[in-house]
Amino acid sequence: GKGEYDHFMLKEITEQPTALAQAIEGRIDATSGRIGLSAFEPGSFEAIDSVQFVACGTSYHAALYGSLALNQAGVQATALLANEYSVAAPPVDETTLVIAVTQSGETADTLNALRQATAEGARTLTVTNVVGSTAAREADDALFIRAGPEIGVAATKTFSSQAVILTLLGQRIATDLRGEPSADLESLLPALESMPSRIHELLEHSNAEAIAEQYRDSQSYFFIGRGLGYPVALEGALKFKEITYEHAEGFAAGELKHGPLALVTPETPVFAIFTGQEDEKTLKNAEEARTRGAPVIAVCPDGHPAVEAADEHLAIPETDSDLAGLFANVQLQLLSYHAADLLDRPIDKPRNLAKSVTVE
Ligand code: M6R
């Protein structure tokens, strides 16, 4: 049950320290710099040349996160919407690893893409939460995120766990393909180990409820980010629209000036996510919105230059840039939750939506 919580969504947001601890348990060793993903011994991806992720909704955002991390590690990777895969899949062969990212393991669109990739001769893997799910049974291999059951229709803890597991898997793939571990493993593994306790702290001190209250009468809500902050901007907007029924959009920060800036007014707060990847450019993009009268809420560490430049601040800890976006995402989950709660929305069961979409 929900226990002391009004909604499963808040319970599941709060469970993230535990979910993440379970996700990484036994899979990393910061002292030796080792990543152990049981089925995937070092060398198990040597025959792979490129990676395609297929997924929908929040899982697609986690997949995009994983694909950008792989690109940054020098591996050819793309994230594709599973529901678009049948019309325009890039070619695959036995050197292509197709990774289906799906919390439930039962999403029809994702299973269709997985089956198509299998039929065309790709090697397949699923990253899922559900042992015994269709995706886990049908893919060549399965990697479980161990987040525990998620009841709220809005995916929360499973996004964080997927992104963390994809980060680990990406490091393993990159190591196999390039023959050496990526340089930032030394800072990534300790940052991962401390993530559960730091998320716990963030949850204790978040001012997201006050920010939700402050901007509750806005016309639209925009989310911008760059690099690994981009999938987080998309996810922030999806969560916001899904449970508040208010209009929200996520953009790559640099795209704002290529069209969306025309929508920006004093009635459209802009949440700007800073992950330590070209932050000065994102700050410039946020300032362009602020010049048009939009309130800017900076999601960044204390003491970051964006704090001074913005109207409000949602704080995240100083951490590895591979993980910063995931802390930002937790602040945005809380923002959406409180905004929806103020509007008295049926948070755990938003209209027209189902937890698992088993139709095409
Ligand atoms: O079970 P899956 O991860 O395959 O589900 C995919 C999407 O339907 C799901 O993430 C959806 O977007 C969430 N309700 C968003 O919160």
Side-chain angles (χ1 to χ4, degrees):
K2 305 193 280 253
E4 62 189 282
Y5 298 97
D6 290 341
H7 300 96
F8 279 106
M9 184 183 179
L10 187 59
K11 175 173 182 270
E12 288 157 2
I13 289 173
T14 311
E15 279 170 355
Q16 288 177 110
T18 317
L20 292 171
Q22 287 167 189
I24 59 177
E25 158 114 69
R27 287 171 167 168
I28 63 171
D29 181 355
T31 337
S32 65
R34 194 188 59 90
I35 294 178
L37 296 171
S38 45
F40 309 108
E41 291 297 316
S44 48
F45 295 110
E46 258 164 18
I48 294 304
D49 280 337
S50 68
V51 178
Q52 290 178 12
F53 293 90
V54 292
C56 306
T58 291
S59 291
Y60 169 73
H61 298 148
L64 185 57
Y65 198 95
S67 79
L68 296 176
L70 268 175
N71 289 159
Q72 286 170 355
V75 176
Q76 182 155 348
T78 346
L80 300 150
L81 287 168
N83 35 69
E84 286 285 308
Y85 200 73
S86 56
V87 263
V92 301
D93 60 26
E94 70 286 350
T95 68
T96 318
L97 177 66
V98 173
I99 305 180
V101 184
T102 166
Q103 186 283 130
S104 62
E106 302 298 345
T107 300
D109 289 334
T110 307
L111 292 174
N112 287 343
L114 177 64
R115 287 169 185 153
Q116 184 182 330
T118 306
E120 288 168 7
R123 175 168 169 192
T124 62
L125 192 166
T126 187
V127 172
T128 182
N129 197 27
V130 182
V131 177
S133 60
T134 308
R137 280 185 280 110
E138 293 192 8
D140 294 332
D141 289 295
L143 189 54
F144 297 103
I145 63 170
R146 308 177 185 158
E150 189 176 66
I151 311 296
V153 164
T156 52
K157 63 176 178 174
T158 55
F159 172 83
S160 300
S161 300
Q162 284 169 337
V164 158
I165 289 304
L166 291 174
T167 301
L168 288 180
L169 180 64
Q171 288 289 343
R172 164 46 41 81
I173 294 171
T175 306
D176 281 0
L177 265 61
R178 299 176 331 182
E180 54 179 56
S182 107
D184 56 27
L185 212 52
E186 250 169 63
S187 71
L188 176 65
L189 294 189
L192 263 174
E193 273 187 333
S194 64
M195 202 175 170
S197 66
R198 300 181 91 186
I199 297 266
H200 178 78
E201 251 173 71
L202 180 154
L203 291 166
E204 299 265 284
H205 298 113
S206 174
N207 58 332
E209 184 171 4
I211 301 283
E213 173 77 58
Q214 189 175 341
Y215 295 107
R216 63 180 294 177
D217 293 318
S218 304
Q219 199 177 55
S220 288
Y221 299 79
F222 297 140
F223 298 82
I224 62 169
R226 168 177 264 100
L228 292 174
Y230 171 49
V232 174
L234 296 180
E235 174 58 11
L238 173 60
K239 211 91 311 173
F240 202 92
K241 67 182 90 162
E242 181 179 23
I243 59 167
T244 68
Y245 309 162
E246 295 293 308
H247 180 239
E249 294 294 332
F251 305 108
E255 269 295 291
L256 208 57
K257 59 184 175 300
H258 296 288
L261 202 53
L263 293 171
V264 167
T265 71
E267 309 307 316
T268 61
V270 175
F271 293 84
I273 299 149
F274 295 90
T275 57
Q277 298 172 311
E278 302 189 338
D279 280 358
E280 62 300 334
K281 291 188 184 172
T282 305
L283 187 52
K284 227 176 129 234
N285 303 138
E287 279 166 346
E288 282 153 11
R290 198 152 181 267
T291 306
R292 274 74 184 184
V296 168
I297 303 92
V299 190
C300 63
D302 290 328
H304 188 285
V307 178
E308 285 297 302
D311 298 273
E312 298 296 339
H313 177 211
L314 287 164
I316 58 171
E318 293 276 359
T319 185
D320 198 278
S321 63
D322 287 342
L323 303 178
L326 305 182
F327 288 90
N329 185 60
V330 175
Q331 286 285 23
L332 299 181
Q333 291 171 346
L334 289 170
L335 171 82
S336 291
Y337 173 80
H338 289 297
D341 200 32
L342 287 166
L343 292 164
D344 216 17
R345 302 296 189 221
I347 292 179
D348 286 333
K349 281 185 185 300
R351 67 185 175 203
N352 311 337
L353 300 174
K355 181 65 181 163
S356 185
V357 186
T358 53
V359 291
E360 225 181 315

